[in-house]
Amino acid sequence: MGMAEVAASVLQRKVAAGGEGTATAAAAHALGQALARAAHGLFALPLRVQAQAEAVRSLAELPEILEDQALLALLDGPGEAIGLCALGPGLLSALIEVQTTGRLAAAAPAARRPTRTDAAMMAGFVDAALAGLSEEVAGTEDAVWAEGFHYASCLDDPRPLPLLLEDGAIRVLRLGLLLGEGGERQGTLLLALPAEGRGARHAEAAGPTPEARDWSARLERALLAAPAEAEAVLARIRVTADAMLGLRPGMLLPVPADCVARVSLEVGGGGAFARGRLGRFRGARALRIEEGLAGEPPGPAIESRPLAPPLEGLGTGGRSADAGAGAARRAAAPAPGAAPSGRAFPTRQAG
């Protein structure tokens, strides 16, 4: 049996002793992936998980399962939750070596008591691993208890833990790690977080339920199938009430000369939502839409008084339009007070 195999066997026994078995758990696997990325990204240190376990423990049991001379990092989380990340002496010494010497020795140094300087050097690694864990569990049921934590401070002694952490169930992840290209070094990491968690619930973060999505889809289909009446508006004019009562079939109303090229398409009181040009399509009047508008309010009305009198042959059933063309041109001249660029269009006969 090689040294790497011996180390793996020791790790498996050590991790199993503090957990409820070595069965693969989604959260433990996610933590292992996050640790590997953090070690590679920060220190170019190969790291892989050899053993993992997940368990729910009481607060009183937590000090008993911590490895001797581990670095104890207190964590802050959502909703003022407090957690613990314990880096075993093997992992701690390896991370200190790669930061100070740039390489990893073949043999681990003798275990020692962690210092505040060690904690300061580990803060970035712990934060990177926790951020990676949050990314791994995002959108899953584990997100409610596992995401949103970060390094806060270190603890010299585990005995105050029952006073610092909330009393209640604690979810504990324990990982056995192999470090270096050949896995010649080993270490452990323990993550203890409140089991209930205070993060966003998966059901809330995942969006609407299938029932809500089905209702929204049915509502959308019903609304899109509802009839909507649109009006193509050539121009607006303003007249007196007396002139309005005096409107007769065949009267000419002065409108802007460019109204045919600037027809607005409107729905109800929502204003214009498109603008286009009046024309023909297969012998019928048509409107070619040239630009969309975001509910643009109707344009200002044009003062038009007095109105041109009715012309014989226009909407009256008398002479033809050709016979009255000369009179129509004379009557289409802008009335006093009208816009100078006006063009006369006959009104349509009611009924």
Side-chain angles (χ1 to χ4, degrees), residues 260-279:
V260 174
R262 295 183 58 81
V263 181
S264 62
L265 198 60
E266 303 177 6
V267 175
F273 67 90
R275 183 175 290 126
R277 175 185 295 272
L278 189 64

Side-chain angles (χ1 to χ4, degrees), residues 214-229 267:
D214 181 62
W215 182 88
S216 298
R218 287 187 284 112
L219 178 61
E220 181 180 1
R221 289 194 298 269
L223 291 176
L224 291 178
E229 183 176 340
V267 175

